Amino acid sequence: EAQVTQNPRYLITVTGKKLTVTCSQNMNHEYMSWYRQDPGLGLRQIYYSMNVEVTDKGDVPEGYKVSRKEKRNFPLILESPSPNQTSLYFCASSLAPTNIQYFGAGTRLSVL
Amino acid sequence: AQSVAQPEDQVNVAEGNPLTVKCTYSVSGNPYLFWYVQYPNRGLQFLLKYITGDNLVKGSYGFEAEFNKSQTSFHLKKPSALVSDSALYFCALKAGGYQKVTFGTGTKLQVIP
C-alpha cells in the first residue's frame, strides 16, 4: 500500500531535549515536505526536499533541522525544543509532474 | 511572495444544498492550485488540482473547482452536499517550477442534516 509513515504519532517532551520525528514514504517520490498545523494558521511549510541531499527552507524553519540521506526518508529534528513548537506536524511526499502531495497521519507534539 | 486566503473560517450548509468554499490567491508566475480535505484525526487527502487547461476542474467525491485568473480565485463547489462532506478544507498554492507550498488557514464545512 502506498503510504507516508510518521513516527511517533504522539510525543510529550520537555524543553531542550532533542527529538527526531521520522518520515518514510514507499512511493519513490522525489519531493518531501514537513508542515506544522496550528489553529487559525492552517499548515505552514517548515522545510522541503527536492531529492537526496537537496533541502530548502519553507516559511517557518527556525528551530528545526532536516536531512535527506535516502530518497524514502526525511526526518525532522528539533535540537532544542521549546513550548512554541507544540503543534501537529505532517510529513508529505509528492511526485512531479502531478505535484499531488500524500500526507502522513500526523505527529502531535507537546513541549512542556 | 505568494499567499492564499480562505476568508471563511466556517461554512454551514443544509444537506442536499449546493456548497461553495472560497479561496483566493496571490503569486508571481503560473499558479498550481490544490484543494485538500482533512477529516478529524487524519492527515490531509487530495481532492483536486488546477495546473493548466480547463478552468473547471473536477475531483474526488463529486467536488469541482473553478479557476478564475482575473479574480485570482479557486473556489471549491459541490452541487449537493452530504453530511459526510463535513470536514476541514484547505486550499494550497505553489508557483510552477518551485516546491514551496502555501496553504490557506482552512475552512470548516458543516453539513446540517
Side-chain angles (χ1 to χ4, degrees):
Chain A
E1 180 188 356
Q3 59 185 3
V4 177
T5 303
Q6 292 178 231
N7 280 298
R9 290 290 313 280
Y10 303 91
L11 180 59
I12 301 173
T13 190
V14 295
T15 299
K17 187 176 181 181
K18 181 179 179 180
L19 67 92
T20 299
V21 184
T22 63
C23 174
S24 180
Q25 51 96 2
N26 62 0
M27 295 169 281
N28 202 35
H29 287 172
E30 299 103 339
Y31 304 119
M32 298 187 74
S33 291
W34 275 103
Y35 297 89
R36 60 178 290 174
Q37 182 179 8
D38 301 289
L41 297 177
L43 273 79
R44 293 177 292 168
Q45 195 173 36
I46 303 170
Y47 270 96
Y48 58 94
S49 170
M50 289 73 77
N51 215 320
V52 175
E53 303 290 5
V54 183
T55 63
D56 206 350
K57 296 177 180 178
D59 290 321
V60 288
E62 295 79 18
Y64 303 95
K65 284 177 57 177
V66 293
S67 67
R68 187 98 181 268
K69 293 184 170 58
E70 303 168 284
K71 196 172 186 178
R72 63 183 290 126
N73 296 323
F74 190 45
L76 179 69
I77 303 157
L78 284 71
E79 295 266 359
S80 183
S82 63
N84 64 12
Q85 293 179 298
T86 292
S87 187
L88 179 58
Y89 292 85
F90 287 103
C91 179
S93 71
S94 60
L95 183 67
T98 69
N99 295 284
I100 297 169
Q101 294 193 84
Y102 294 82
F103 285 81
T107 296
R108 189 167 292 279
L109 172 66
S110 293
V111 183
L112 305 178
Chain B
Q2 59 189 52
S3 65
V4 175
Q6 292 183 243
E8 301 153 319
D9 290 336
Q10 181 159 336
V11 170
N12 297 321
V13 63
E15 187 177 24
N17 282 4
L19 70 87
T20 298
V21 182
K22 295 179 181 177
C23 173
T24 58
Y25 68 92
S26 174
V27 68
S28 299
N30 294 325
Y32 288 23
L33 292 156
F34 305 81
W35 277 101
Y36 290 87
V37 60
Q38 184 180 32
Y39 297 101
N41 301 314
R42 301 283 295 275
L44 279 72
Q45 298 175 33
F46 168 77
L47 274 181
L48 51 79
K49 66 180 170 75
Y50 172 85
I51 294 178
T52 187
D54 289 341
N55 290 342
L56 185 62
V57 178
K58 294 189 182 297
S60 307
Y61 312 120
F63 283 93
E64 57 189 31
E66 186 168 10
F67 172 69
N68 187 317
K69 188 172 183 178
S70 62
Q71 297 186 3
T72 61
S73 67
F74 189 57
H75 300 331
L76 181 70
K77 300 182 179 185
K78 188 174 183 182
S80 178
L82 300 173
V83 173
S84 57
D85 292 331
S86 298
L88 188 56
Y89 290 81
F90 289 98
C91 182
L93 164 72
K94 67 181 288 290
Y98 297 92
Q99 287 305 311
K100 188 170 183 178
V101 181
T102 301
F103 279 78
T105 52
T107 299
K108 184 179 180 180
L109 174 67
Q110 191 79 28
V111 180
I112 303 161

